[in-house]
Amino acid sequence: DAGITQSPRYKITETGRQVTLMCHQTWSHSYMFWYRQDLGHGLRLIYYSAAADITDKGEVPDGYVVSRSKTENFPLTLESATRSQTSVYFCASSFLGERAQPQHFGDGTRLSIL
Amino acid sequence: DAKTTQPNSMESNEEEPVHLPCNHSTISGTDYIHWYRQLPSQGPEYVIHGLTSNVNNRMASLAIAEDRKSSTLILHRATLRDAAVYYCILRDVSSSNTGKLIFGQGTTLQVKP
């Protein structure tokens, strides 16, 4: 099916471990985004990418690494997970980045770090 | 970034119209008004957006006040599947390149059968 898919949907890991969250979209959208959603903070932008091999920081990038070797994939890596990174992570994409373009979100990855 | 104000919660009966208000008194001339909704355990879903004129699509209508300081999302016939948190978001020039969407607390809509 066309759309944006995230995997895994649920993940439990331990402090200090490396974990990678996957995001795949089939629309050939140029822009892709990673957000995290926490109670009391709403959604906050972690990283975004305007095209393959172009990435940039959002509001809360510390502790995260991204890459984008192909247009359709935008993985998010927590190199050494901490409890404060327990959250729901959403990937999104849009055709362009300008303000009239809607973003389309995946169903999220629920990450728990023990 | 210009902020929006929405009621925390609203209730509606199934098959009746719902009007979800949003105030944005500090909106600038280049801000687009976007609406998203988030169903339980799902990611946010784009609903509609507009700049100055009223807009309609298959999901909803967006009515924008003449002075643009407020807007209303209209669901013409609410269904149980419309129960969600609805977010009114302004997208300004400064957020264009980052793609940042600033989500507030939104309005939690309950739909009663």
Side-chain angles (χ1 to χ4, degrees):
Chain A
D1 289 336
I4 184 164
T5 55
Q6 294 184 235
S7 60
R9 288 296 311 276
Y10 302 91
K11 177 74 177 178
I12 300 174
T13 190
E14 296 177 340
T15 303
R17 298 264 183 145
Q18 182 181 85
V19 59
T20 296
L21 310 183
M22 304 301 294
C23 180
H24 176 78
Q25 54 103 356
T26 59
W27 290 304
S28 298
H29 283 170
S30 297
Y31 278 75
M32 296 188 74
F33 312 88
W34 274 105
Y35 293 85
R36 59 178 289 175
Q37 185 172 32
D38 306 290
L39 285 174
H41 288 281
L43 278 87
R44 292 178 291 174
L45 182 67
I46 304 171
Y47 268 95
Y48 70 100
S49 169
D53 297 321
I54 301 174
T55 63
D56 210 342
K57 297 177 180 179
E59 290 179 82
V60 288
D62 294 344
Y64 303 96
V65 174
V66 293
S67 62
R68 193 161 177 213
S69 58
K70 293 184 178 181
T71 300
E72 61 267 29
N73 297 323
F74 191 38
L76 176 74
T77 298
L78 289 66
E79 291 193 307
S80 179
T82 66
R83 289 196 179 92
S84 65
Q85 293 176 308
T86 292
S87 186
V88 181
Y89 291 85
F90 291 103
C91 179
S93 71
S94 67
F95 180 56
L96 295 172
E98 57 90 21
R99 61 189 180 275
Q101 289 291 321
Q103 292 184 16
H104 303 275
F105 287 78
D107 284 334
T109 294
R110 284 147 184 81
L111 178 62
S112 295
I113 300 166
L114 307 178
Chain B
D1 295 318
K3 292 187 176 180
T4 63
T5 304
Q6 300 176 252
N8 288 333
S9 62
M10 291 184 65
E11 287 184 357
S12 173
N13 294 318
E14 198 175 9
E15 298 188 3
E16 290 186 355
V18 182
H19 291 234
L20 296 164
C22 181
N23 288 321
H24 28 77
S25 59
T26 59
I27 191 171
S28 73
T30 55
D31 283 342
Y32 278 77
I33 302 162
H34 285 246
W35 283 83
Y36 286 76
R37 72 180 185 181
Q38 188 170 19
L39 279 65
S41 300
Q42 293 188 24
E45 176 186 25
Y46 166 77
V47 178
I48 200 167
H49 77 278
L51 183 61
T52 56
S53 303
N54 294 344
V55 184
N56 299 296
N57 66 21
R58 63 175 180 81
M59 290 182 70
S61 294
L62 176 61
I64 301 173
E66 194 170 339
D67 63 7
R68 300 206 330 122
K69 293 185 177 181
S70 65
S71 61
T72 302
L73 179 70
I74 302 166
L75 307 179
H76 295 287
R77 285 186 67 199
T79 69
L80 297 178
R81 292 186 68 254
D82 291 322
V85 180
Y86 286 79
Y87 297 99
C88 171
I89 299 168
L90 300 183
R91 295 202 67 190
D92 63 9
V93 174
S94 67
S95 71
S96 292
N97 290 334
T98 66
K100 182 171 65 176
L101 290 175
I102 301 175
F103 286 80
Q105 297 305 309
T107 297
T108 298
L109 175 65
Q110 291 183 319
V111 180
K112 297 179 177 179

